[in-house]
Amino acid sequence: MKQLGKKLFTLIITLLIVSLLAFLAFQIIPGDPTTKMLGTNATPEKAAQLRSQLGLDRPVFVRYFEWLLHFVRGDLGISYTYKMQVSEMLSDKLPITVLLTVLSFLLTVLIAIPLGIAAGRIKNRWVDHAVLIADQLLMAIPPFFFGILACFLFGIIFRFFTPGNFIPPSEDLGASLSYLLLPALSLALPRIAMTVKMLRGSIQDELTQNYVYTARSRGLSQWGILRRHVLRNAMIPVITFLAVSAAEIMTGTIIIEQVFTIPGVGRLLLSSIGSRDFPVVQAIVVIMAAWIVIVNFAADLLNFLIDPRRRAG
Amino acid sequence: MKIRKNAYFVTGGILSGILMAVILTGFFWTPYSTTAMNAAEKMKAPSFRHLLGTDNFGRDVFSRVVSGAGTSFLIALMVVAIGCFFGILIGSLCGYYGGIADLVLMRICDTITAFPAILLALVIISVVGGGSGNIVIALGILFIPSFARVVRTQFAVCRSQNYISSAKLMGVSGPRILFFHILPNTFSVLLPSVTIGFNNAVLAEAGMSFLGIGIQPPQASLGSMLKDSQTYLRSAPWYALGTGLAVVLLVLAFSLLSEGIQQGSRRQ
């Protein structure tokens, strides 16, 4: 319990540091946001007025804590370009990206874990080679090329879907999910390949350990040994890796949304970078970073529950 | 070392050899001009005249893929060079001397590696602006931690070994021990990291250019070409397929090489 508290404390500290860095990153931007907002009719007086209106004339740390307080309350700032609340701009886009991320992550876990276990149990030279070659190939194909291939094959040749014709989940969840299936799979495929490779190696390493022989000599079935002893140990590095995958998938949506023209957070991020709309960029970056920190924390927690050595030590 | 007999190493070696030869040739000569437009040859399907067809401006896709691959290759090379140089510097000092600086730097490295390179690169690019120079610097910095980690581990192991104590007793200077005695012993672990890092750099650059924040036209890289080609997926699918295949081949060649090297060193 004490360790759990310690972990929670580290989580909060990490979140604070990450948010501070994200905040500072956007403070060192060359150029004044006021010149951009005022455009051609900027005068020094008007700029100064706007600066104090935006609170830009106060010390950085004061502004950071103020921004943070607003942020946790859901006030993510006001867009320079659209002059509206960032939270409002995100409210219909975030669910789409979250849906895509979760779907892709579920696909990764549900496909990679059974495949990895199956591949780990088989000891055959040809299966080894087949798995490795398939892995190498899948890892070499970037998700956005998978996406383009999928658009070409299923969108243009077989006409299963119309690329660009996305239906938001608020209108029709089923249609939305079925549109998101291919993008999610494009993101998941390289991660599946990596996870299978890793889980398989991890299981095969564990199977050569002495405790496996002991368990077998005690008369446990092969499956029983795998489930009760081997998998527990083999899963530890894989869980950590799955956290990395969850982070990669989240940021991968930025690219894949572009390929499938999905109106999610990634597309908003890109257009905001293009128009130098920093409050929006900042909010999205902080949300993504927070997700990554929390996912890593969850993986750490899960390993903590699986591995009695960590609970003891 | 039986690495020369490893099937992955051999296939990867041959494949990357061919690709490098094509890319190097492409720096000096391509079958067609990569920029000259030709309205009469617009969006022609692959043929013997144009191996991968032509694009919406009548430019030969094969020639453009070769030169685009050259750009991607150079950028990845520079990214890995920056990451490797500073990674070795930081990793060796941290691993050999240890102390508070080591703890702090490695903690920072861990934090950076926890975040996908593309997210951090996007932050850097949105602050300092796009273009190939900024991409190289941004990705280069982000690649430092992975190299520093690998090098540090090796140095921490090596520093307590006998040959280092002997060298110290003989009065060999610190930098000489670091870079002439220990560094050569890290190459076997550094080499796979370099090939993996190269692949990650190719993929990261392709991703950024695909998003339109990497290489700016008229310069072309594989990523920016894939972005352009997506518009013509219906009318000129060879454009996207040819370009994408080039990315896959480039990455595959180096990942086979690194798989071979890893298998070879594991068996030793």
Side-chain angles (χ1 to χ4, degrees), chain B residues 159-213:
Chain B
R159 75 166 166 194
S160 52
Q161 277 175 0
N162 282 336
Y163 72 98
I164 297 305
S165 325
S166 325
K168 261 193 223 159
L169 284 174
M170 285 164 71
V172 182
S173 70
R176 209 181 150 77
I177 290 182
L178 281 177
F179 299 113
F180 288 88
H181 292 249
I182 305 183
L183 190 59
N185 286 321
T186 63
F187 285 156
S188 65
V189 272
L190 203 56
L191 207 59
S193 317
V194 168
T195 46
I196 293 169
F198 178 84
N199 273 351
N200 289 338
V202 169
L203 290 174
E205 184 277 320
M208 311 265 303
S209 299
F210 182 79
L211 293 177
I213 47 174

Side-chain angles (χ1 to χ4, degrees), chain A residues 33-46:
Chain A
T34 54
T35 37
K36 175 152 172 79
M37 286 173 83
L38 291 169
T40 45
N41 52 16
T43 58
E45 295 80 45
K46 265 191 186 166

Side-chain angles (χ1 to χ4, degrees), chain B residues 94-264:
Chain B
C94 283
Y96 189 69
Y97 293 109
I100 289 281
D102 171 39
L103 269 171
V104 172
L105 279 172
M106 284 304 124
R107 193 83 200 93
I108 294 174
C109 282
D110 287 347
T111 316
I112 294 180
T113 36
F115 293 93
I118 204 128
L119 182 66
L120 296 176
L122 274 174
V123 172
I124 297 178
I125 293 305
S126 65
V127 171
V128 297
S132 48
N134 286 343
I135 288 277
V136 167
I137 295 169
L139 288 178
I141 292 171
L142 298 176
F143 276 59
I144 294 172
S146 60
F147 291 112
R149 260 262 159 243
V150 171
V151 173
R152 193 207 94 100
T153 315
Q154 279 308 100
F155 269 76
V157 172
C158 285
R159 75 166 166 194
S160 52
Q161 277 175 0
N162 282 336
Y163 72 98
I164 297 305
S165 325
S166 325
K168 261 193 223 159
L169 284 174
M170 285 164 71
V172 182
S173 70
R176 209 181 150 77
I177 290 182
L178 281 177
F179 299 113
F180 288 88
H181 292 249
I182 305 183
L183 190 59
N185 286 321
T186 63
F187 285 156
S188 65
V189 272
L190 203 56
L191 207 59
S193 317
V194 168
T195 46
I196 293 169
F198 178 84
N199 273 351
N200 289 338
V202 169
L203 290 174
E205 184 277 320
M208 311 265 303
S209 299
F210 182 79
L211 293 177
I213 47 174
I215 303 300
Q216 304 297 327
Q219 209 184 0
S221 80
L222 293 174
S224 62
M225 285 173 65
L226 264 176
K227 173 180 175 254
D228 295 341
S229 69
Q230 220 205 334
T231 326
Y232 306 101
L233 198 54
R234 200 175 293 268
S235 45
W238 49 85
Y239 189 8
L241 298 184
T243 316
L245 229 53
V247 180
V248 174
L249 277 180
L250 198 60
V251 174
L252 187 64
F254 282 89
S255 86
L256 286 176
L257 257 184
S258 90
E259 178 66 33
I261 296 170
Q262 278 173 318
Q263 284 188 359

